[in-house]
Amino acid sequence: MYRLFFDLIFKRMDPEKAHHLAFAWIRAAARVPVLRTFAAAVLAPRHQALRTEALGLRMHGPFGLAAGFDKNAAAIDGMAMLGFDHVEIGTVTAQPQPGNPKKRLFRLVADRALINRMGFNNDGSAAVAARLAARNPVFKATVGVNIGKTKVVPEEEAVADYVTSTERLAAHADYLVVNVSSPNTPGLRNLQAVDHLRPLLTAVREAADRTVTSRRVPLLVKIAPDLADEDVDAVADLALELGLDGIIATNTTIARDGLGLKTPQRTVEAIGAGGLSGAPLKARSLEVLSRLYARVGDRITLVGVGGIETADDAWERILAGATLVQGYSAFVYEGPFWCRKIHRGLAEKLAASPYATLAEAVGAAARETTA
């Protein structure tokens, strides 16, 4: 039914306007007690077997909403109502910013993909921190906070910019993510180089510890699929060196070739720059995840994201080493029953597997390869 609705309504709308409309509906539904209770019962039934512990946190399951959908922490309860086990808000920058000029979000329907050059449009870390502080949660959901660099801040001042956001947001985050991998902020991906990344992550870790003394706020870094293999290895080694809690693999890609796109090349070229997400990213994101697991094993938490559409995709990431998995782009095409299908499928996969728990399944494919 949703696919018919998508074809008749959303597909004909500007993608960003469709996003705001869907976002408004989700927020509205989450405000109505009877409606949200009914919606959660239908869309978010819990499976005991999927209970997950990661980053020192207990979650209903491993499947979460990737950063980018709820940039300003405005619909956490709504997304939990739909069944997401954790919700990563952001990317949030120290200063509020409007993002890049419109039009900046595009669908590749034939590829079940998106291209965006949003540019970290958000209300800024002070406003988002205030919103998080004022929350009165209706549904239990782990909340991750993804932080990035303000566009007008020069690269040499990036560390201070991230620290400002950390000081404002760490107290309200179940975990923090340093985003150095979006292609839509000039110079941001330069920070993935280990020489730049080491002082940045060290400063954010120190700021989080200084700001929140009652607990350790888990810290993760999100990397791009476009890193060379040796750079993926270098980030993995740095994460171990610094005692990071996790790595998220991966962000969107700037690549267009080699993805097997069905959308005509002239259409893709006309869209122009931006990060591509969705199904075409599946193979490379899995490849990066597998490489990371081979490097770090179970010493840190890996989060698989990029091209996850089905329970089969999520299960494949778990077997490859992901303790948590995330999605976003497929939500646009699958609609409100997406989480329900993922959870049901994962529960069936686990029941049919030789593993007693999801934790046992994490990295099983890699272990079998090396056995």
Side-chain angles (χ1 to χ4, degrees), residues 274-326:
L276 188 148
S277 61
L281 191 54
K282 192 175 303 187
R284 178 55 183 167
S285 290
L286 177 61
E287 191 176 84
V288 172
L289 173 68
S290 299
R291 190 170 189 93
L292 285 169
Y293 188 78
R295 200 81 174 183
V296 305
D298 57 5
R299 288 174 287 179
I300 62 176
T301 298
L302 299 179
V303 183
V305 58
I308 293 177
E309 299 183 278
T310 66
D312 286 345
D313 296 330
W315 181 247
E316 188 176 32
R317 302 301 168 95
I318 290 168
L319 295 179
T323 301
L324 300 176
V325 290
Q326 295 179 340

Side-chain angles (χ1 to χ4, degrees), residues 99-173:
N100 292 324
K102 299 178 181 179
K103 189 175 179 181
R104 55 192 182 180
L105 180 62
F106 308 85
R107 301 186 199 96
L108 305 184
V109 177
D111 295 291
R112 296 174 65 80
L114 302 173
I115 292 176
N116 91 83
R117 50 173 175 268
M118 303 299 291
F120 291 168
N121 54 307
N122 75 103
D123 295 340
S125 56
V128 173
R131 191 170 294 126
L132 287 169
R135 274 191 78 225
N136 183 21
V138 174
F139 298 105
K140 181 183 182 299
T142 297
V143 178
V145 178
N146 185 302
I147 58 175
K149 186 181 80 69
T150 306
K151 184 176 181 178
V152 297
V153 170
E155 190 175 317
E156 60 269 20
E157 298 174 21
V159 170
D161 192 64
Y162 279 91
V163 165
T164 296
S165 292
T166 302
E167 291 172 341
R168 292 170 175 168
L169 291 163
H172 311 294

Side-chain angles (χ1 to χ4, degrees), residues 180 189-202 227 230-239 241-242:
V180 287
R189 287 190 168 195
N190 296 339
L191 299 177
Q192 291 180 112
V194 168
D195 289 346
H196 295 294
L197 193 56
R198 180 181 285 105
L200 171 58
L201 293 174
T202 299
L227 285 178
E230 57 268 26
D231 293 325
V232 173
D233 293 343
V235 172
D237 294 344
L238 179 64
E241 173 194 329
L242 298 181

